[in-house]
Amino acid sequence: MTAASRLFLLMGTFGITAGLIYYFAWQHPEPAGFALLMAFFFACLFIGGLLWMASPANRRRVPAPDTGLPGSASQERGAADEHGFIHHMSPTIAPAVYSLAAAVMLAAVVYRDKVKLLGVWGVALGLLLFLAATAIWYRAVAADTRAKLHGGPHGAEHGPAVPPGGVPAVPAGPPGPANYFEQLREAFEVGDPDWAADAYAADAVYYEPANPPHEGRDAIRAYLNDLLKAHPGLRYEVKRMGVDDNTAIVEWTWSFRRDGRRVTDQPGASVIQLGEHGITYHRDYL
């Protein structure tokens, strides 16, 4: 993923360089060709940026522990679906081949007037590379589909839940209040109010000092959405946690950005209580 992001960024650099040369160096610039190259530049920049944001090499992506709840993933085993099966994907060079195909077709279009037959054969080669990349990608991701088509026990198409080598599984038993608070912490730090609201029961009540009680999951989601918008870059640090059956008391500090600077070490405490379908009671003390 890191290599693919760098390839797309390099392709974007090539696109903007070729576009500027195409527009300013030629005696008769073609606005259509310049616009095509600029569109290619912005597309490569967008895709490369997305891939880099999702890349494990991005230092801003800090691995978070597995909470055992939907939406969370073990860093060793991978992400499980709703049935508990883990999808495995073999390493693939398909993104690099896709990038090469795009480069060949772009070069064929840009330099079609300089080299005879380059346009037709370049586009044909680019399409061939595109089909080859699609075949490579299919071989990497379609193992579970082929297994499902051939039949077999339910879940067998996904491969073993634990890869060879024996990575410890998530501890048995239902998630407790510590798991639910960890989901809240992770959701706050990635700025996802929907994931945070999923930790609450439909009839949950959330008390916090500044407002009347937020009653129900929808009201809690709306409040969390406003909270995260007002506190960008929110980071939680749990100092102490006490758990008794379905109740937890958590002492924490948080930090966030405000007016271009980071506000740090804001202390607080939370009391949460679980019901059958998630958190039913949540009170914050600041």
Side-chain angles (χ1 to χ4, degrees):
M1 187 174 291
T2 303
S5 67
R6 291 174 179 173
L7 281 171
F8 272 104
L9 293 176
L10 288 174
M11 290 292 298
T13 303
F14 166 78
I16 191 171
T17 303
L20 293 175
I21 295 174
Y22 194 70
Y23 189 81
F24 292 105
W26 287 18
Q27 295 180 354
H28 302 287
E30 296 183 13
F34 174 74
L36 175 64
L37 288 167
M38 290 301 98
F40 176 79
F41 162 70
F42 285 113
C44 287
L45 188 66
F46 176 73
I47 297 173
L50 287 181
L51 290 173
W52 175 249
M53 290 175 60
S55 171
N58 187 351
R59 294 182 179 180
R60 296 185 63 183
R61 292 182 59 83
V62 179
D66 182 16
T67 66
L69 299 172
S72 181
S74 168
Q75 299 301 315
E76 293 84 9
R77 297 180 299 111
D81 63 14
E82 67 275 14
H83 303 295
F85 300 117
I86 296 175
H87 298 258
H88 300 285
M89 178 176 172
S90 304
T92 176
I93 62 171
V97 181
Y98 277 124
S99 301
L100 181 60
V104 170
M105 287 190 287
L106 179 65
V109 173
V110 172
Y111 299 107
R112 64 188 184 278
D113 296 331
K114 296 293 184 179
V115 182
K116 294 182 179 180
L117 299 180
L118 177 61
V120 176
W121 290 106
V123 172
L125 178 59
L127 291 175
L128 182 62
L129 288 172
F130 182 85
L131 293 175
T134 304
I136 295 171
W137 186 270
Y138 175 80
R139 292 187 62 182
V141 303
D144 54 347
T145 303
R146 292 196 300 271
K148 186 179 294 185
L149 291 174
H150 286 89
H154 176 65
E157 67 274 9
H158 300 288
V162 179
V167 178
V170 175
N179 302 79
Y180 279 87
F181 191 83
E182 177 60 24
Q183 175 167 325
L184 291 179
R185 187 191 68 80
E186 293 181 25
F188 287 172
E189 292 197 351
V190 299
D192 190 340
D194 294 326
W195 187 22
D198 287 342
Y200 293 89
D203 57 348
V205 181
Y206 188 144
Y207 299 90
E208 46 94 16
N211 294 300
H214 308 288
E215 300 181 0
R217 185 185 294 132
D218 292 337
I220 294 173
R221 179 184 287 107
Y223 164 69
L224 295 179
N225 183 57
D226 293 339
L227 174 70
L228 293 174
K229 288 182 178 179
H231 299 79
L234 187 63
R235 293 290 181 268
Y236 260 97
E237 182 179 353
V238 176
K239 297 296 186 179
R240 297 173 184 84
M241 178 181 295
V243 178
D244 181 16
D245 195 19
N246 290 327
T247 304
I249 301 177
V250 187
E251 180 185 352
W252 43 262
T253 61
W254 67 355
S255 65
F256 51 90
R257 293 193 303 272
R258 175 170 291 173
D259 298 330
R261 65 183 184 90
R262 178 162 284 277
V263 181
T264 59
D265 298 329
Q266 298 292 303
S270 298
V271 179
I272 62 173
Q273 186 173 16
L274 297 188
E276 184 179 356
H277 302 292
I279 299 173
T280 57
Y281 174 90
H282 184 167
R283 182 182 290 271
D284 285 341
Y285 298 89
L286 302 175

